C-alpha cells in the first residue's frame, strides 16, 4: 500500500469518527438546549396564566393562548409539583398531530383547584435539529471529498521529489561515473534527503573506486614478481651447462608460477564479475559460439578420442562475449579433462537450456559444493575456481546452473 | 634479426622503460643477444629525458612507473611526432587500459607476466609492421616466410603449413638461437584460451609435423629438442 493510501485511510477514518462523534454530541446538545428553551417558554406561559387569572378573575379561553393548547381539569389535590413532559400536540389550526412539550401545574381559582396542562409544538426545534444534521452530513461529505482530492493531487505532487529520488536510486550503478540527477527542492525534508543521498553515493563511489584500485594494484604487485620469475627462468634455460635434472626442477617452477598466475587472474575475474564490472553486453548466437568452441577444442577432443554429439537449436542471448567465452571454456575443458579416454560428450542447446553431459568417473560429485570456491577433485590440476566462475557468470545474467549425475553421465545444465 | 641474412631487419635500438630492475635487465640481455642495443630506464623522468635526446627503434613501456603512468611517454611521443614503435608491458590487463594505450599510440600490449620469447616475437612484429608495411618477407637461410600471404618457401619451393605450424615457425625464427620453453610455445599458440598444461602433448605433435614438413622440403633441421624443457631453433 502506498504512503498516500495509508495517509488517506488514517485521515478519512479519523475525520469520519470525529464528525460522527461531533454530530451526535451536537444532536443531543441541541435537543437539550431546545428543551430547556421550551420549558422556559412553558414556565412563562404558566406565570402569564396565573397573572391573567389574578387580573381578569376568569379562566382564559383557548384563543388567548395563541397556538398553545391549554386544558383545565378540576381536582381535589391541594399540592402538586410542577412537571414538564413530552406529549403529542394537536395543532388547533391545522388539526395535525405533532410532537409536543407540555407543562402541568396546579392553580387555585374561585376556591377550586385546577390542574392545568399547557402543551406547545416541538416542531420548530425538530426542524432545527434536522437542518443541523443535514448541514453536518453535507459538511462531512464535503470534507471527505476535499480530503480525497487533497490526498490524491496535492500529496502526489508533494511526494513527487521522493519518487524522483527513488527512481534515481533504483537506477544507481556503482560502476557508472554519472552522478544523480536530483532536482532542487523547496521542501526542507526532501532537500535534506537529496543531500544525504548525494553524499552517500559519492562516498560509496569513492570507496568502490578505492577498492577497484586496490584490486588492480594488488594484481600489479603480484604480476610483476611473477614476470620476474618467468623471465628469469626464460634466461636460466639459455644456460648450456644445465643437465636434465635441472630442467625437471625448472619445469616444476614454470608449472607452479603458471598456476599462480592463473589463480591470480581468476580471482581478479571473480571480483570483477561479482562487482558487475564487466561491460559490453551484446546479442550473441549461443549455438554459433558453441560450434566455434568445439572447433577450438577439436585437438583436445581428438587426442582423448572423445565423441561429441551435439544438438543445437538457435538461441540468442544478451551477454558479454568475453564472459560467455570463459563460461564455455570452463564447461568444455572440464568435460574434456575429467572425461575418460574414448569417452563421450553430449551438448544440447534448446531455447530454454544448455546441457553438457560427459562420461567420466563413475561417482557423482557433490552437487551442493561443486560450485564452491577451491572445490576440486583429487586428480584435478585446475585452480578449483572454474565452476565458481561458471556459477557467478550465470548469476550475473540470472541463469540457473545445476549439476546432476544421470545414467553415468556428469551433467551440467544452464537454464536461461 | 641476424644481419646479412634478413636484409629487412638491421640491429635495433631499444629503450626499456620498466621500474623492476630484475625484469629490465633480463629483457635487455635477451634482446641484446642479436646484437641489438638496449638502453634502460626505471622512471618516467629518465624515459622522457632519453627520448628527448635520442631516437630509438622501439620502446618497451611499463604503465605503472614510480613517478607516474607510462601513458605520459605515449603522449610525449605523439606530441613530438615521433616514429618509435611502442610495446606496452603492463601488469594491468584490464580492457580499458589496453584500449586506452592502443588509442593513444601504442602498437601492441603485452600483459605481465610474459615469456621473453613472446616479447621478442611481439617486438619484431610491431617493428616490422611499422617499418616495412609493403615488404613483409622474413628470410632465414633457405626459409622464406611471407607474412602477408602467410606462406612459406623452402629454396623457392612453396610449403603448406597449418596455421599453428606457421605461427610456430615464425616464433622460432624470431627467437632463433634461444631455448624456448614449452610453456612459452603453448601460451603463444593457444593464449589463455585453455589451461596450458593440457597442451604439452600437442606441442610435441605440432613440432614433429613441422619438422617433418621442413625436412621433406629439403630444409636443414634447425629445431633441436632439449630434454623436457623446450626447443631451440638454431642454424
Amino acid at each position: 500500500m502506498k504512503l498516500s493510501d495509508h495517509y488517506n485511510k488514517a485521515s478519512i477514518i479519523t475525520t469520519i469518527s470525529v464528525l460522527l462523534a461531533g454530530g451526535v454530541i451536537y444532536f443531543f446538545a441541541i435537543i437539550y438546549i431546545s428543551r430547556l428553551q421550551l420549558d422556559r417558554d412553558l414556565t412563562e406561559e404558566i406565570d402569564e396564566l396565573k397573572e391573567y387569572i389574578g387580573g381578569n378573575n376568569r379562566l382564559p379561553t383557548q384563543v388567548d393562548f395563541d397556538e398553545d393548547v391549554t386544558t383545565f381539569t378540576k381536582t381535589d389535590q391541594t399540592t402538586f409539583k410542577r412537571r414538564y413532559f413530552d406529549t403529542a400536540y394537536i395543532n388547533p389550526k391545522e388539526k395535525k398531530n405533532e410532537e409536543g412539550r407540555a407543562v402541568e401545574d396546579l392553580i387555585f381559582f374561585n376556591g377550586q383547584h385546577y390542574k392545568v396542562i399547557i402543551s406547545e409544538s416541538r416542531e420548530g426545534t425538530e426542524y432545527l435539529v434536522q437542518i443541523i444534521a443535514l448541514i453536518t452530513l453535507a459538511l462531512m461529505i464535503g470534507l471527505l471529498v476535499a480530503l480525497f482530492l487533497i490526498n490524491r493531487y496535492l500529496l502526489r505532487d508533494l511526494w513527487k521529489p521522493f519518487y524522483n529520488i527513488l527512481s534515481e536510486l533504483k537506477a544507481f550503478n556503482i560502476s557508472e561515473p554519472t552522478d544523480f540527477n536530483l532536482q532542487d527542492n523547496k521542501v526542507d525534508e526532501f532537500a535534506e534527503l537529496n543531500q544525504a543521498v548525494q553524499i552517500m553515493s559519492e562516498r560509496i563511489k569513492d570507496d568502490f573506486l578505492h577498492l577497484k584500485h586496490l584490486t588492480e594494484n594488488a594484481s600489479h604487485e603480484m604480476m610483476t614478481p611473477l614476470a620476474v620469475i618467468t623471465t628469469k627462468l626464460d634466461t636460466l634455460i639459455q644456460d648450456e651447462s644445465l643437465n636434465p635434472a635441472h630442467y625437471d626442477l625448472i619445469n616444476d617452477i614454470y608449472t607452479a608460477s603458471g598456476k599462480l598466475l592463473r589463480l591470480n587472474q581468476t580471482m581478479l575475474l571473480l571480483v570483477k564479475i561479482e562487482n558487475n564490472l564487466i561491460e559490453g553486453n551484446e546479442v550473441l548466437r549461443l549455438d554459433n559460439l558453441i560450434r566455434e568452441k568445439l572447433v577450438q577444442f577439436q585437438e583436445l577432443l581428438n587426442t582423448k578420442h572423445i565423441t561429441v554429439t551435439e544438438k543445437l537449436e538457435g538461441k540468442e542471448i544478451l551477454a558479454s562475449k568475453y564472459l560467455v567465452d570463459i563460461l564455455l571454456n570452463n564447461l568444455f575443458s572440464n568435460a574434456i579433462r575429467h572425461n575418460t579416454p574414448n569417452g563421450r560428450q553430449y551438448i544440447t542447446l534448446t531455447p530454454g537450456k544448455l546441457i553438457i553431459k560427459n562420461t567420466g568417473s563413475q561417482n557423482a560429485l557433490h552437487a551442493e559444493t561443486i560450485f564452491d570456491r577451491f572445490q576440486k577433485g583429487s586428480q584435478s590440476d585446475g585452480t578449483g575456481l572454474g565452476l565458481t566462475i561458471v556459477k557467478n557468470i550465470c548469476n550475473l545474467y540470472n541463469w540457473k546452473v545445476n549439476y546432476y549425475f544421470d545414467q553415468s553421465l556428469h551433467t551440467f545444465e544452464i537454464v536461461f | 634479426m641476424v644481419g646479412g641474412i634478413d636484409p629487412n631487419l638491421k640491429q635495433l635500438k631499444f629503450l626499456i622503460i620498466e621500474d623492476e630492475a630484475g625484469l629490465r635487465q633480463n629483457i635487455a640481455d635477451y634482446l641484446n643477444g642479436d646484437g641489438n642495443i638496449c638502453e634502460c630506464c626505471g622512471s618516467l623522468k629518465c624515459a622522457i629525458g632519453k627520448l628527448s635526446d635520442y631516437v630509438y627503434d622501439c620502446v618497451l613501456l611499463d604503465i605503472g612507473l614510480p613517478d607516474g603512468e607510462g601513458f605520459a611517454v605515449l603522449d610525449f611521443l605523439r606530441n613530438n611526432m615521433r616514429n618509435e614503435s611502442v610495446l606496452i608491458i603492463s601488469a594491468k590487463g584490464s580492457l580499458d587500459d589496453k584500449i586506452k594505450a592502443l588509442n593513444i599510440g601504442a602498437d601492441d600490449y603485452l600483459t605481465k607476466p610474459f615469456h621473453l620469447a613472446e616479447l621478442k616475437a611481439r617486438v619484431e612484429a610491431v617493428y616490422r609492421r611499422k617499418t616495412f608495411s609493403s615488404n613483409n618477407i622474413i628470410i632465414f637461410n633457405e626459409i622464406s616466410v611471407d607474412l602477408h600471404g602467410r606462406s612459406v618457401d623452402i629454396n623457392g619451393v612453396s610449403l603448406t603449413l597449418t596455421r599453428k605450424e606457421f605461427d610456430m615457425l615464425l616464433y622460432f625464427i624470431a627467437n632463433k638461437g634461444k631455448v624456448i620453453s614449452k610453456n612459452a610455445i603453448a601460451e603463444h599458440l593457444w593464449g589463455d584460451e585453455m589451461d596450458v598444461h593440457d597442451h604439452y602433448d600437442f606441442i610435441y605433435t605440432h613440432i614433429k609435423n613441422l619438422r617433418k614438413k621442413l625436412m621433406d622440403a629439403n630444409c636443414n633441421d634447425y629445431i633441436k629438442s632439449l630434454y623436457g624443457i623446450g626447443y631451440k631453433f638454431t642454424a
Side-chain angles (χ1 to χ4, degrees):
Chain A
M1 201 148 86
K2 280 194 164 190
L3 184 102
S4 59
D5 294 337
H6 278 289
Y7 180 78
N8 251 347
K9 204 173 109 186
S11 67
I12 284 173
I13 287 174
T14 320
T15 315
I16 289 179
S17 37
V18 166
L19 279 176
L20 275 178
V24 168
I25 292 168
Y26 219 38
F27 178 75
F28 283 109
I30 286 167
I31 286 182
Y32 176 72
I33 290 167
S34 64
R35 188 159 297 169
L36 273 185
Q37 186 63 45
L38 278 173
D39 290 357
R40 206 177 300 132
D41 284 355
L42 288 171
T43 313
E44 267 174 35
E45 294 289 344
I46 291 281
D47 292 347
E48 274 175 27
L49 178 72
K50 283 182 180 167
E51 242 171 66
Y52 184 92
I53 291 169
N56 298 338
N57 218 11
R58 64 175 179 90
L59 289 176
T61 60
Q62 178 58 40
V63 184
D64 298 317
F65 288 98
D66 216 0
E67 289 205 338
D68 298 348
V69 178
T70 317
T71 53
F72 300 95
T73 329
K74 285 183 183 161
T75 181
D76 295 334
Q77 275 180 286
T78 50
T79 55
F80 186 81
K81 188 163 177 344
R82 190 186 287 175
R83 72 176 185 104
Y84 302 92
F85 59 98
D86 287 337
T87 180
Y89 167 83
I90 297 149
N91 192 321
K93 283 178 191 156
E94 295 168 28
K95 300 284 178 235
K96 200 172 78 184
N97 265 336
E98 288 172 8
E99 294 280 308
R101 181 79 176 165
V103 64
E104 190 177 17
D105 204 357
L106 204 64
I107 54 169
F108 188 69
F109 171 64
N110 280 349
Q112 176 64 51
H113 286 283
Y114 291 90
K115 200 180 264 179
V116 59
I117 297 173
I118 303 173
S119 54
E120 196 173 62
S121 172
R122 245 175 31 197
E123 190 156 68
T125 56
E126 289 283 316
Y127 184 63
L128 196 64
V129 169
Q130 276 171 17
I131 289 282
I132 286 169
L134 269 179
I135 288 174
T136 313
L137 200 69
L139 266 179
M140 203 143 84
I141 292 169
L143 204 59
L144 284 180
V145 169
L147 269 175
F148 183 74
L149 290 179
I150 284 174
N151 289 352
R152 200 182 165 86
Y153 296 103
L154 184 74
L155 266 184
R156 183 192 282 173
D157 219 44
L158 270 178
W159 280 96
K160 213 180 229 164
F162 173 79
Y163 289 111
N164 182 24
I165 295 172
L166 197 66
S167 70
E168 288 283 336
L169 278 176
K170 277 182 188 162
F172 180 68
N173 182 348
I174 198 160
S175 56
E176 266 175 30
T178 50
D179 260 337
F180 280 117
N181 173 28
L182 295 176
Q183 285 138 13
D184 283 341
N185 208 286
K186 281 176 280 182
V187 181
D188 286 350
E189 284 83 350
F190 288 129
E192 219 169 297
L193 183 64
N194 268 356
Q195 212 184 359
V197 163
Q198 203 104 38
I199 290 171
M200 192 191 68
S201 76
E202 272 163 26
R203 204 160 48 204
I204 290 174
K205 281 188 174 169
D206 243 31
D207 287 355
F208 182 70
L209 214 62
H210 278 138
L211 206 66
K212 202 179 158 189
H213 284 155
L214 180 77
T215 47
E216 272 178 10
N217 290 343
S219 117
H220 178 98
E221 295 309 322
M222 272 165 107
M223 292 304 187
T224 306
L226 272 172
V228 175
I229 295 174
T230 310
T231 53
K232 294 278 174 198
L233 289 174
D234 287 349
T235 312
L236 182 62
I237 58 172
Q238 309 304 329
D239 189 340
E240 283 168 6
S241 64
L242 294 174
N243 63 38
H246 293 141
Y247 285 147
D248 280 345
L249 291 176
I250 292 170
N251 250 343
D252 289 348
I253 305 175
Y254 266 129
T255 309
S257 74
K259 209 163 174 175
L260 196 57
L261 165 67
R262 264 181 292 133
L263 208 56
N264 195 21
Q265 284 170 337
T266 313
M267 302 265 271
L268 284 171
L269 180 65
L270 269 177
V271 171
K272 279 186 182 169
I273 297 172
E274 277 167 12
N275 288 318
N276 200 1
L277 289 177
I278 310 269
E279 279 151 15
N281 282 358
E282 51 189 307
V283 177
L284 303 167
R285 279 291 297 259
L286 192 57
D287 45 325
N288 291 342
L289 290 179
I290 291 172
R291 282 191 196 98
E292 284 168 23
K293 203 44 74 183
L294 277 174
V295 173
Q296 216 179 78
F297 277 89
Q298 202 54 53
E299 265 183 322
L300 211 51
L301 291 165
N302 288 347
T303 318
K304 274 193 135 176
H305 305 289
I306 294 168
T307 322
V308 179
T309 315
E310 88 237 49
K311 204 176 133 231
L312 306 177
E313 289 176 41
K315 163 75 184 168
E316 280 190 349
I317 51 169
L318 182 69
S320 145
K321 191 166 190 300
Y322 172 63
L323 288 185
V324 173
D325 201 55
I326 291 172
L327 178 90
L328 293 178
N329 267 346
N330 288 354
L331 287 175
F332 278 42
S333 58
N334 273 347
I336 297 168
R337 194 182 306 144
H338 302 299
N339 216 324
T340 47
N342 302 313
R344 286 162 293 138
Q345 186 182 345
Y346 301 91
I347 303 164
T348 315
L349 178 68
T350 64
K353 273 181 190 172
L354 169 64
I355 300 168
I356 298 175
K357 300 183 182 191
N358 65 279
T359 47
S361 91
Q362 282 305 305
N363 303 318
L365 305 163
H366 288 288
E368 299 88 32
T369 57
I370 191 170
F371 295 105
D372 291 352
R373 289 180 179 207
F374 302 116
Q375 281 290 325
K376 55 177 181 177
S378 47
Q379 293 96 21
S380 175
D381 285 340
T383 55
L385 289 171
L387 285 175
T388 311
I389 286 189
V390 167
K391 171 128 189 146
N392 282 21
I393 292 173
C394 288
N395 283 351
L396 182 68
Y397 297 119
N398 290 322
W399 304 334
K400 226 172 122 47
V401 57
N402 303 312
Y403 164 81
Y404 49 89
F405 191 62
D406 180 33
Q407 294 171 350
S408 297
L409 291 171
H410 297 278
T411 308
F412 287 90
E413 171 192 78
I414 294 176
V415 185
F416 301 110
Chain B
M1 312 245 332
V2 172
I5 296 169
D6 183 352
N8 293 336
L9 283 175
K10 54 179 172 79
Q11 290 176 346
L12 299 179
K13 210 175 158 200
F14 292 104
L15 178 63
I16 302 163
I17 308 166
E18 161 64 57
D19 61 325
E20 182 71 34
L23 197 55
R24 199 163 60 214
Q25 199 49 51
N26 273 114
I27 295 171
D29 289 347
Y30 198 88
L31 294 178
N32 274 337
D34 282 341
N36 298 317
I37 300 157
C38 293
E39 287 185 22
C40 296
C41 266
S43 69
L44 201 58
K45 195 164 159 262
C46 159
I48 301 285
K50 290 222 178 199
L51 283 168
S52 310
D53 294 341
Y54 307 104
V55 174
Y56 297 89
D57 293 305
C58 187
V59 177
L60 304 183
L61 176 62
D62 184 14
I63 295 295
L65 293 168
D67 55 345
E69 290 206 315
F71 294 120
V73 171
L74 288 172
D75 289 335
F76 175 85
L77 291 175
R78 192 173 50 174
N79 292 340
N80 291 284
M81 318 277 281
R82 297 284 286 265
N83 254 334
E84 279 87 353
S85 47
V86 180
L87 175 70
I88 305 280
I89 39 172
S90 173
K92 292 186 181 175
S94 79
L95 205 59
D96 290 352
D97 278 330
K98 280 187 192 173
I99 290 167
K100 185 178 173 191
L102 295 177
N103 273 345
I104 61 174
D107 296 284
D108 202 356
Y109 195 108
L110 191 57
T111 309
K112 283 184 196 169
F114 47 80
H115 286 283
L116 290 172
E118 182 69 30
L119 178 75
K120 181 91 190 302
R122 295 274 194 111
V123 162
E124 293 201 348
V126 159
Y127 178 73
R128 199 175 285 118
R129 206 160 59 216
K130 195 139 183 166
T131 337
F132 310 106
S133 50
S134 55
N135 180 12
N136 265 302
I137 297 190
I138 300 170
I139 296 164
F140 180 85
N141 295 351
E142 66 268 41
I143 306 171
S144 158
V145 182
D146 180 355
L147 293 175
H148 272 173
R150 291 186 71 81
S151 62
V152 179
D153 285 4
I154 309 291
N155 295 320
V157 182
S158 139
L159 182 68
T160 313
L161 296 180
T162 65
R163 193 173 66 84
K164 288 215 160 57
E165 286 162 1
F166 180 88
D167 288 343
M168 197 142 60
L169 179 63
L170 210 57
Y171 196 54
F172 275 134
I173 294 176
N175 290 285
K176 64 198 164 320
K178 301 279 187 193
V179 179
I180 309 173
S181 68
K182 287 186 301 186
N183 297 58
I185 298 172
E187 264 180 42
H188 180 73
L189 293 187
W190 286 279
D192 33 52
E193 269 174 17
M194 293 174 267
D195 287 347
V196 169
H197 64 266
D198 291 330
H199 297 286
Y200 294 151
D201 294 343
F202 304 155
I203 294 169
Y204 176 74
T205 317
H206 282 298
I207 287 183
K208 200 176 72 184
N209 292 343
L210 174 64
R211 216 159 153 186
K212 188 169 183 301
K213 282 186 183 175
L214 288 173
M215 284 164 74
D216 285 351
N218 290 322
C219 182
N220 287 313
D221 184 15
Y222 296 115
I223 302 170
K224 309 266 180 296
S225 165
L226 274 114
Y227 171 82
I229 196 82
Y231 298 88
K232 189 174 183 177
F233 190 86
T234 181

